[in-house]
Amino acid sequence: MADGVVLDYDKDGNLVGIEILDASKKGGADALRHINVAA
């Protein structure tokens, strides 16, 4: 994953949360559109 992005999974391996550290410094909503999460 990208630097400063933390993915949280449940006990079954399902993605349940995404934490973006220092999100306000990463370019706002436009930057988030380019994050790909693949299993």
Side-chain angles (χ1 to χ4, degrees):
M1 203 61 238
D3 205 27
V5 177
V6 179
L7 302 178
D8 296 319
Y9 297 90
D10 66 12
K11 64 180 176 125
D12 297 319
N14 298 306
L15 182 65
V16 295
I18 301 173
E19 182 178 359
I20 303 171
L21 306 175
D22 295 318
S24 64
K25 297 177 183 175
K26 297 198 184 302
D30 288 334
L32 298 178
R33 290 186 178 102
H34 302 288
I35 295 177
N36 294 316
V37 179

